[in-house]
Amino acid sequence: MITRRKTNTVKVGNVKIGSNHPVVIQSMAKTDTKNIKATVKEINVLEKEGCELIRVAVKDMEGARAIREIKKEINIPLIADIHFNYKLAMEAIIRGADKIRVNPGNIYKKEELNKVISLSGEKKVPIRVGINSGSLPKAAGKNKELSDRMVSSLLKYLEYFEKKNFSDLIISLKASDVVSTIEAYRKVSKRCDYPLHLGVTAAGLPEDGTVKSSIGIGALLVDGLGDTIRVSLTGDSSDEIRVAKKILSSLNLRKFGPEIIACPTCGRCQVDLISIVKDLDRKLKRYTTYDIRHTKKPLIIALMGCEVNGPGEAKEADIGIAFGKDQGAIFKKGRIIKTVKAKDAINELLRLIGGWHGKA
Ligand code: SF4
């Protein structure tokens, strides 16, 4: 079982981040924030998928001003992502952003950063101090390991915020290199108690990004680190949410609906198990998007390619099917309860689990 690290708690809108609060899933809209209609549309799709916090890029004043209109049309807290221009951060806060993300290295003048800190404090808007490996200041120690350079750079900024009596902070240290990312978060977690936003940056196309994020974010979560996660994919933002949900549910940190376990098949399998699993996965989709935040008890369903090893190998499943040539043996907790024709097996299984969570 994973024991989560105790951190400060930071409130972003109505979502609490840190310590024993559930690890929060977030994503970033890929639209131009000025395009209010498209941004709202994307956020609403993500929200339906299970996104709990959304970040938008604020690259100009029009984008900062759009925040107020966007917020009227969405239900999840909004984070404004700011680089270089402190005035955009100020405007985003005034327009109702629930949190801002800054890379202090990109806001060069101290007096500008001071203004942002002071307004954030006044409006109780938390700040994520996000260090990216690509934008480390040159002075950050050329010969040190990347993770050490990231940590020392972040600690310097944190010290600055603390001197200004500002501690409503979430931190991140993302690199595109998975090992450096893991090392940086592990090191910084020993030096401060701020909640951690986890992610591997620029992780690439969905297949690469899924693997890198699962390893990077997953390793840290197993350590008990991490309070909110963002999976970065060069692809559909909905996939970021689906992968994030799968990472959390694989580690039993959150559960979002029934979980299918399936064997990889081998020479003993006499049915098209891949198609059968895909079919069930599709049919269960409505359970995974329905009532996402309230799903307490997951149902584990096993689909196994043969009767020889199937029920025994899938004992931990609540219910499952072990397929023979033309038939499917339906079992509960490893014990066969009935045998039906293979073609009817999925429908029978769905009938049997129909009462689960009150939706057939
Ligand atoms: Fe092979 Fe049967 Fe094991 Fe599936 S359950 S991998 S078909 S032995």
Side-chain angles (χ1 to χ4, degrees), residues 263-269 304-306 309-310 313:
C263 82
T265 80
C266 70
R268 290 187 188 88
C269 183
M304 307 301 278
C306 79
N309 292 329
E313 280 188 16

Side-chain angles (χ1 to χ4, degrees), residues 30-285:
K30 302 192 184 227
T31 49
D32 185 338
T33 309
K34 289 197 290 277
N35 187 339
I36 296 172
K37 204 172 159 201
T39 304
V40 165
K41 191 175 169 202
E42 184 180 9
I43 295 173
N44 285 335
V45 169
L46 290 173
E47 197 181 316
K48 224 172 168 187
E49 288 286 352
C51 181
E52 294 160 315
L53 290 178
I54 187 69
R55 184 159 46 115
V56 297
V58 176
K59 57 181 185 183
D60 49 32
M61 264 309 165
E62 206 183 325
R65 287 190 206 109
I67 287 174
R68 183 165 292 157
E69 296 310 309
I70 294 168
K71 277 203 50 145
K72 285 181 192 162
E73 306 291 328
I74 64 170
N75 302 301
I76 52 177
L78 181 144
I79 304 154
D81 189 270
I82 321 282
H83 288 269
F84 301 110
N85 187 345
Y86 83 101
K87 285 184 183 160
L88 299 179
M90 309 285 283
E91 188 67 21
I93 295 168
I94 291 163
R95 299 283 170 166
D98 298 290
K99 176 178 142 193
I100 56 166
R101 181 266 163 135
V102 295
N103 183 343
N106 286 345
I107 292 175
Y108 298 109
K109 292 186 186 144
K110 277 189 178 166
E111 56 272 28
E112 294 176 350
L113 187 56
N114 291 348
K115 283 183 186 167
V116 175
I117 294 173
S118 156
L119 188 62
S120 296
E122 188 190 311
K123 303 276 184 195
K124 298 203 180 338
V125 171
I127 299 179
R128 169 159 70 95
V129 183
I131 297 285
N132 272 9
S133 58
S135 55
L136 284 175
K138 286 193 185 78
K142 263 192 196 153
N143 301 324
K144 282 192 199 160
E145 266 186 46
L146 176 60
S147 59
D148 288 322
R149 283 190 280 139
M150 291 166 73
V151 171
S152 62
S153 175
L154 179 66
L155 290 175
K156 225 178 270 167
Y157 292 132
L158 293 181
E159 209 179 298
Y160 190 78
F161 278 87
E162 282 159 5
K163 263 193 204 147
K164 299 278 162 200
N165 287 322
F166 189 93
S167 57
D168 205 6
L169 294 166
I170 293 178
I171 57 174
S172 66
L173 310 97
K174 300 185 186 181
S176 56
D177 175 66
V178 176
V179 176
S180 300
T181 303
I182 294 171
E183 285 175 353
Y185 278 104
R186 280 180 179 160
K187 286 172 185 169
V188 88
S189 69
K190 295 190 175 82
R191 307 284 299 272
C192 64
D193 296 326
Y194 298 112
L196 301 177
H197 162 123
L198 301 185
V200 176
T201 195
L205 290 168
E207 190 174 318
D208 294 329
T210 299
V211 173
K212 285 185 184 177
S213 300
S214 302
I215 296 171
I217 295 172
L220 291 162
L221 289 171
V222 170
D223 285 354
L225 304 178
D227 304 284
T228 174
I229 65 172
R230 193 262 169 125
V231 171
S232 306
L233 300 178
T234 312
D236 188 338
S237 49
S238 292
D239 286 342
E240 297 188 355
I241 304 302
R242 289 186 205 116
V243 174
K245 280 158 71 182
K246 283 187 193 297
I247 292 173
L248 295 177
S249 67
S250 301
L251 298 172
N252 294 322
L253 284 164
R254 303 271 308 262
K255 287 293 177 188
F256 303 101
E259 182 180 334
I260 301 177
I261 57 174
C263 82
T265 80
C266 70
R268 290 187 188 88
C269 183
Q270 299 180 77
V271 291
D272 180 1
L273 193 69
I274 297 170
S275 300
I276 292 171
V277 175
K278 282 184 178 165
D279 179 41
L280 181 65
D281 188 55
R282 194 170 37 79
K283 286 177 171 154
L284 290 175
K285 277 281 184 284

